[in-house]
Amino acid sequence: MEKSKRILFLTLLCGLFAACTPQADASTSEADSHASETAPGNVPALTFNADTCYAFVQAQTQFGARVPNTTAHVACGNYLVQTLQRYGAHVIEQKANLTAYNGTVLQSRNIIASWNVNTPNRIFLCAHWDSRPTCDEDPNPANHNQSVMGANDGASGVAVLLEIARLVAQKQPAIGLDIILFDSEDYGNSDVEHSFCLGSQYWGRNPHVRPYQARFGILLDMVGGKNPVFAKDQVSMYFAADVANMVWDKAAQLGYGNLFVANQGGGVIDDHYYVNLLTGIPCIDIIHYQNGSGFPETWHTTQDVLENIDKNTLHAVGTVVTHVLYELK
Ligand code: AHN
Ligand code: ZN
């Protein structure tokens, strides 16, 4: 976003804040200095830093599209495991050969990073880390044979979770946490039922520990685009209305009610659907989707690139989820 627009955007946001806390652009230390500005007892001790988060999006896109069975996918998977270990997580890699709708066997790798592993009082945060092999929504049919870079569709959710991992390394939340990075979400065909979300389907049937317990989960999908709208989708409301309401209330309280809108979104079949169905653990989806306009314009096109990521969006979603995580007892 160019600077004048960003300032306008921040001004609009700040109008909704009781205490205006603009996003720090310069450094981690500047960001951290804002941590004490809000009322004590009601805030995480740490501030979600949109610049670090953005750098995590960039790091993933620098590998290229992370399509299963490619070298970029292997290299990015290694990077994600190493990064999460560096932030003190116990990491389990769940490798499986999953057969896609077209018969392709995907060398799939779910990555589960855990802190405070022994407490059942825990939540999980999840996102898919793979990217799609075809830009089949691109207006130009000549581009349909290209893979999606997935700066938003894939990397943005993962980047928010890596930034939260960085915070958790500095200060443990009161509860346990699992960050689950699902693979092979986006290799599907919309004409073939259950052909998306292969990694989460596998995890739902084969949890990384048994029995796996958590209070609830939050899925992040396409949380870094421009002009986002996060509506409560029907699947989230059917399986996990309390969680969705709590998260959307928190967003409104933090001044993000303009992004986290009150109306319902459509029914989105995403990783959270299979988590709910297969594990019974309530899980919501924070996803850029709205009835009418649908997914973002860049969705499954050649335009899903770093240049179309908006740090303000990463900051809003990351701040909401960070507050939820650190305020649980
Ligand atoms: C379908 O297209 C069936 N569901 C959306 C899940 C998705 C794809 N999220 C990101 N890419
Ligand atoms: Zn996708």
Side-chain angles (χ1 to χ4, degrees), residues 75-193:
C76 185
N78 294 342
Y79 160 78
L80 295 172
V81 169
Q82 285 160 15
T83 304
L84 290 161
Q85 284 173 337
R86 191 153 54 83
Y87 293 138
H90 174 70
V91 179
I92 292 178
E93 290 188 66
Q94 202 173 46
K95 293 188 175 174
N97 290 331
L98 304 178
T99 305
Y101 72 94
N102 61 0
T104 305
V105 177
L106 307 178
Q107 290 176 39
S108 201
R109 186 181 186 187
N110 290 332
I111 298 167
I112 301 110
S114 303
W115 292 261
N116 205 349
V117 289
N118 289 324
T119 176
N121 180 23
R122 59 197 308 107
I123 65 167
F124 64 91
L125 305 174
C126 50
H128 77 90
W129 72 273
D130 62 306
S131 47
R132 182 166 179 77
T134 166
C135 288
D136 52 350
E137 296 289 336
D138 200 278
N140 182 355
N143 291 335
H144 289 198
N145 62 349
Q146 288 183 47
S147 320
V148 180
M149 182 51 82
N152 196 18
D153 189 359
S156 67
V158 172
V160 168
L161 299 185
L162 291 179
E163 170 60 5
I164 289 174
R166 193 183 68 80
L167 299 180
V168 169
Q170 291 173 47
K171 181 182 159 59
Q172 290 278 310
I175 58 163
L177 172 67
D178 304 294
I179 286 179
I180 307 180
L181 305 182
F182 292 123
D183 200 354
S184 304
E185 187 270 350
D186 228 349
Y187 212 99
N189 177 324
S190 45
D191 295 331
V192 182
E193 215 186 354

Side-chain angles (χ1 to χ4, degrees), residues 11 59 147 165 183-184 268 278 291 311 313 323:
T11 309
S147 320
D183 200 354
S184 304
V268 178
L278 296 168
N291 277 336
K311 272 185 202 176
T313 310
H323 273 254

Side-chain angles (χ1 to χ4, degrees), residues 196-211:
F196 285 83
C197 307
L198 300 182
S200 56
Q201 294 188 54
Y202 182 83
W203 179 81
R205 295 189 177 96
N206 308 278
H208 61 289
V209 291
R210 283 166 203 265

Side-chain angles (χ1 to χ4, degrees), residues 128 153 185-186 196 221-222 269-270 295 299-300:
H128 77 90
D153 189 359
E185 187 270 350
D186 228 349
F196 285 83
D221 194 1
M222 298 186 271
I269 304 298
D270 205 348
F295 292 119
W299 180 66
H300 295 180

Side-chain angles (χ1 to χ4, degrees), residues 248-304:
W248 261 252
D249 286 352
K250 179 56 64 184
Q253 190 190 322
L254 290 165
Y256 299 119
N258 54 338
L259 307 185
F260 287 75
V261 298
N263 59 313
Q264 279 210 6
V268 178
I269 304 298
D270 205 348
D271 290 317
H272 70 317
Y273 174 73
Y274 294 100
V275 168
N276 279 300
L277 218 56
L278 296 168
T279 73
I281 303 172
C283 182
I284 65 159
D285 195 4
I286 301 177
I287 183 168
H288 184 159
Y289 182 85
Q290 199 182 24
N291 277 336
S293 52
F295 292 119
E297 249 190 290
T298 61
W299 180 66
H300 295 180
T301 75
T302 56
Q303 295 311 298
D304 186 1

Side-chain angles (χ1 to χ4, degrees), residues 302-320:
T302 56
Q303 295 311 298
D304 186 1
V305 290
L306 189 65
E307 290 69 29
N308 288 322
I309 291 295
D310 187 340
K311 272 185 202 176
N312 294 298
T313 310
L314 297 169
H315 186 247
V317 173
T319 300
V320 171

